[in-house]
Amino acid sequence: MNPTPELSRRRLLRMLGAAPMLPLTGFATASLLAGCGGDSHDDSPVAVTPVPPVVPVTLTGVTFSSMDAPTLANAAAMATTTVGSTMTVNFSDSSKLDFKLSYKPFFITGDMVPNGAGGTVLAGGYYNIRNQPIIDTSVPGKERQFFSDSPDGTSLLSVPNANVPGVKGKPVFAVVQFEYTTLAQDGVTGMYGRLPSPIAVLTLDQDQSTGKLSLVKYHNVDTSGVEGLWITCGASLSPWGTHLSSEEYEPNAFTAASDSQFKAFSRNLYGSETAANPYNYGHMPEVTVNPDGTASIKKHFCMGRISHELVQVMPDQRTVLMGDDATNSGYFVFVADKERDLSSGTLYVAKVGAGFSIDPAAAAAPLSWIKLGSATSAEIRQLAATVKPLEIMDVRTVDPQDAAFKQVVANGAVEWIKLMPGMEKAAAFLETHRYAALVGASMGFTKMEGTTVNARDKIAYSALQNCQSSMVAGNKLNVAGNGVSIPKALNAGAVMALNLKGGQKDVNGAAINSEWMPVDIKALITGEDITADALGNTANPNRIGNPDNLKFSEKLRTLFIGEDSGQHVNNFLWAYNVDTKQLARIMSIPAGGESTGLHAVDELNGWTYIMSNFQHAGDWGSIHNNVKATLDPLLRANYKDKFGSAVGYLTGELSQMRLAKA
């Protein structure tokens, strides 16, 4: 815009409100006026810094103030989502807008929410392969449908020609997946990984004057066509507007028949402990939302069977950097054959060169890439249905004293593996962790979680929830020579930065058809282990602790970091400005809970959003001994006896407008 030296208040605010990124979650003219105490009919002059008409007033940056961590002096704040941060929008004429942030849930899991057909449905409810409710019978006489206390990956999106009854503004959609439920209602029976993960589409009514989002319809996605979903964790939005889900901690196909967790999963899904095929899980599901708020789902079997979490598709719409949330995890990249189509392509795994460090002051270590194979989803899905584990490889947990076997470390265990003749493709895509270790990849990372991209600078970011066990020199899970070796564990974890370039070749000299391949890795920001403080924190509460979800906002130039920490009494959501290097705590999660569902949306019909959920409030560990007695009754009152968790978003209200002096 080209301001004159003097503008009416109403005109100025209308111009500011029209800038797509200014409202964090929607502040058009009316709400801006209300926020700064103005009257919508107030046309009194407001002085701004005189500038020549040819010089526009532009956005120069966005900053977040850092809120204090809650303490027992305000126990109520520790037992709920607490937001005490302000977002400041800065302009080239030295004017500023301050937005006070707050958290708005769509629902608490276990709520009955509208189904769009005049009835209601259980938010976060579980269903079997026949789309029938799965019933918790652990308390006789109080049978009820299972519902999740662990909502996770969320994508906010729009669909062309969307039309859903009940929407008064514009229909937008949030796809939400539910990772697991912690306990049955008896409070004793563990349910992690024993139920097929549900996934839902929320139809949201976007108010065009305020940007406010209101739930109109909850649709449970039918996953029977993909054999159900296994432990859906982080998620991302593809550049073409689909929800990229996850299935982490792929079930061990060699032990599934005797594994109580997988047998329970199969029983709850199919009604039989032997019906589920482990090779159908650990893949990349993709959800496409329909204009009526329903959705379809497919799984891509050609992207590697790993502990998928929070993949990031690069701007070329072909290259995918994937989180691998496991012990002895690695960096995997999938390069699709075609844009906007993940059904065929080539899978690579990284080998880390000399100099790897988690010290942000250290130089980057180089990355090279091993090609694991090329495939289509259809052919790997056919292999999954027909090939047995022992037909792919022989896996031993005790040294067979046979030179045909190679010792590797995979999935947090030392194993001896012999690949069967001609089974390279099946191994690459169905036994990806073991095969990557077998061919010499750097499989030494621990819990490599969220990934995201800063497209302008061509830098990817990756979260290491902790840096321990397989990353530490001398540990039995640390393979000498794999490039991933640090002298001492950092339990509080780190966020890594990876430079992205084109013109790369794999280790055999073959060209890699991508302009977005990671070429090196270095630490960007780290946590700090401490001796337990008075509250119980074993990681410095003023630094990140066990980073998990990552999302980058191009317009805000901000990396958002959500924690999954067993070291912070309350987990936090952070904002890290990659230009100023300033870290700000913007939200505190209920004690014992995990920050999940992070999604930074730069622009959706003119509004900017930060989506955020939390999981398992009051999931107590030893660090909570000093607070548990005080907080447990508060959390039970807030969140359905600790069986409920929130799905929602951060919003804001204009608290101050600071205009430049004339």
Side-chain angles (χ1 to χ4, degrees):
M1 63 184 181
N2 297 304
T4 57
E6 195 171 86
L7 289 174
S8 75
R9 185 186 303 273
R10 187 176 183 184
R11 182 182 173 199
L12 176 64
L13 291 174
R14 184 179 292 115
M15 287 182 174
L16 295 177
M21 67 149 307
L22 288 183
L24 184 66
T25 57
F27 312 97
T29 304
S31 60
L32 282 169
L33 288 167
C36 69
D39 185 292
S40 62
H41 300 291
D42 180 4
D43 287 318
S44 58
V46 176
V48 295
T49 302
V51 292
V54 295
V55 179
V57 173
T58 59
L59 175 84
T60 58
V62 174
T63 60
F64 293 85
S65 67
S66 189
M67 60 174 277
D68 292 333
T71 67
L72 275 178
N74 186 0
M78 296 185 70
T80 189
T81 48
T82 303
V83 183
S85 177
T86 296
M87 182 184 78
T88 299
V89 183
N90 304 285
F91 297 94
S92 58
D93 68 346
S94 299
S95 62
K96 301 175 184 290
L97 291 173
D98 291 338
F99 295 94
K100 183 176 175 58
L101 305 185
S102 61
Y103 183 69
K104 303 294 184 185
F106 299 125
F107 55 76
I108 304 298
T109 57
D111 286 350
M112 299 304 296
V113 294
N115 64 5
T120 58
V121 63
L122 182 67
Y126 285 88
Y127 299 86
N128 64 22
I129 200 71
R130 295 175 295 281
N131 290 305
Q132 298 169 331
I134 301 175
I135 305 301
D136 181 349
T137 60
S138 63
V139 179
K142 293 186 178 181
E143 293 79 6
R144 70 182 187 193
Q145 183 181 359
F146 275 108
F147 60 89
S148 176
D149 67 340
S150 297
D152 208 304
T154 300
S155 296
L156 186 68
L157 56 93
S158 60
V159 174
N161 305 312
N163 185 7
V164 181
V167 175
K168 298 176 181 178
K170 287 187 177 180
V172 298
F173 305 98
V175 183
V176 182
Q177 57 198 45
F178 301 89
E179 186 178 3
Y180 60 91
T181 194
T182 305
L183 296 169
Q185 64 173 324
D186 63 6
V188 176
T189 305
M191 296 305 299
Y192 179 83
R194 294 170 180 263
L195 295 165
S197 293
I199 192 164
V201 177
L202 313 183
T203 297
L204 304 171
D205 187 348
Q206 185 189 48
D207 187 306
Q208 293 306 289
S209 64
T210 66
K212 180 183 178 182
L213 303 175
S214 302
L215 179 63
V216 171
K217 175 183 177 180
Y218 180 107
H219 170 75
N220 191 69
V221 178
D222 179 2
T223 64
S224 61
V226 293
E227 296 83 26
L229 298 175
W230 167 268
I231 312 180
T232 54
C233 195
S236 63
L237 181 67
S238 74
W240 52 94
T242 58
H243 174 86
L244 300 178
S245 180
S246 58
E247 291 186 309
E248 72 172 13
Y249 308 126
E250 76 281 12
N252 188 338
F254 289 86
T255 61
S258 60
D259 182 78
S260 60
Q261 180 193 51
F262 190 73
K263 290 196 297 183
F265 170 84
S266 181
R267 181 178 65 251
N268 284 311
L269 177 60
Y270 286 102
S272 164
E273 290 188 346
T274 60
N277 174 3
Y279 281 146
N280 284 331
Y281 309 100
H283 301 288
M284 175 50 56
E286 181 177 14
V287 176
T288 301
V289 177
N290 301 320
D292 65 352
T294 61
S296 61
I297 187 169
K298 55 188 171 184
K299 282 186 189 178
H300 299 294
F301 282 64
C302 55
M303 298 178 71
R305 187 169 167 269
I306 61 175
S307 190
H308 285 291
E309 175 164 358
L310 241 177
V311 307
Q312 177 64 53
V313 181
M314 299 301 165
D316 65 353
Q317 304 194 52
R318 294 176 52 252
T319 305
V320 188
L321 177 62
M322 297 181 280
D324 184 22
D325 183 9
T327 300
N328 294 107
S329 55
Y331 278 108
F332 292 87
V333 167
F334 177 77
V335 180
D337 293 332
K338 300 177 183 178
E339 293 181 6
R340 304 162 64 95
D341 182 357
L342 303 179
S343 65
S344 66
T346 302
L347 182 64
Y348 298 90
V349 64
K351 189 170 181 63
V352 181
F356 176 81
S357 173
I358 58 170
D359 179 357
L367 297 175
S368 56
W369 293 93
I370 300 169
K371 178 181 175 180
L372 295 180
S374 299
T376 68
S377 183
E379 65 179 313
I380 302 304
R381 185 169 187 174
Q382 179 63 25
L383 283 175
T386 56
V387 176
K388 304 301 181 186
L390 286 173
E391 295 174 334
I392 300 174
M393 56 178 57
D394 191 347
V395 177
R396 309 285 180 89
T397 57
V398 177
D399 187 353
Q401 302 295 313
D402 183 338
F405 286 78
K406 180 179 179 179
Q407 181 180 341
V408 302
V409 181
N411 303 309
V414 178
E415 297 178 333
W416 288 261
I417 295 175
K418 180 176 71 173
L419 183 67
M420 297 304 176
M423 298 305 289
E424 287 82 1
K425 179 171 286 191
F429 292 95
L430 294 178
E431 289 293 341
T432 309
H433 277 135
R434 290 185 170 104
Y435 186 67
L438 196 63
V439 298
S442 294
M443 303 299 292
F445 296 98
T446 50
K447 292 188 69 61
M448 185 191 302
E449 307 240 10
T451 58
T452 190
V453 66
N454 169 353
R456 190 179 92 179
D457 298 334
K458 293 196 79 168
I459 298 174
Y461 305 109
S462 174
L464 295 175
Q465 186 192 5
N466 44 54
C467 305
Q468 58 189 25
S469 62
S470 64
M471 292 184 67
V472 180
N475 188 283
K476 69 176 183 179
L477 300 181
N478 182 258
V479 178
N482 77 352
V484 183
S485 187
I486 57 178
K488 179 183 177 183
L490 177 62
N491 296 320
V495 175
M496 311 302 289
L498 301 89
N499 284 304
L500 306 168
K501 293 183 180 180
Q504 303 305 300
K505 296 181 179 181
D506 67 24
V507 295
N508 292 322
I512 300 175
N513 186 19
S514 171
E515 295 298 310
W516 295 85
M517 290 298 292
V519 296
D520 57 27
I521 179 172
K522 74 181 304 293
L524 175 74
I525 182 173
T526 63
E528 179 188 10
D529 297 336
I530 62 172
T531 302
D533 63 16
L535 201 63
N537 295 299
T538 58
N540 186 339
N542 294 317
R543 294 174 63 169
I544 62 169
N546 308 113
D548 187 337
N549 282 199
L550 296 182
K551 287 294 168 69
F552 184 74
S553 169
E554 294 285 343
K555 290 188 176 179
L556 303 184
R557 296 288 293 165
T558 297
L559 177 66
F560 294 97
I561 305 168
E563 295 181 342
D564 175 12
S565 180
Q567 296 182 258
H568 281 168
V569 174
N570 285 87
N571 280 327
F572 307 122
L573 176 61
W574 301 88
Y576 177 77
N577 187 294
V578 297
D579 297 320
T580 66
K581 316 301 182 187
Q582 294 300 305
L583 179 70
R585 182 191 294 108
I586 61 174
M587 183 164 74
S588 173
I589 302 302
E594 171 186 344
S595 176
T596 61
L598 179 60
H599 183 201
V601 184
D602 277 344
E603 195 279 325
L604 185 59
N605 298 328
W607 309 105
T608 297
Y609 297 87
I610 301 172
M611 313 302 291
S612 184
N613 309 329
F614 69 80
Q615 294 184 350
H616 52 71
D619 187 9
W620 304 124
S622 59
I623 65 167
H624 299 104
N625 289 342
N626 296 342
V627 302
K628 178 179 176 180
T630 301
L631 299 184
D632 196 69
L634 299 176
L635 287 162
R636 289 183 182 276
N638 288 343
Y639 300 112
K640 295 182 169 61
D641 209 23
K642 300 198 302 185
F643 287 102
S645 293
V647 173
Y649 67 110
L650 282 165
T651 185
E653 178 181 345
L654 185 68
S655 58
Q656 185 177 17
M657 181 173 66
R658 291 173 280 169
L659 299 175
K661 295 181 180 179

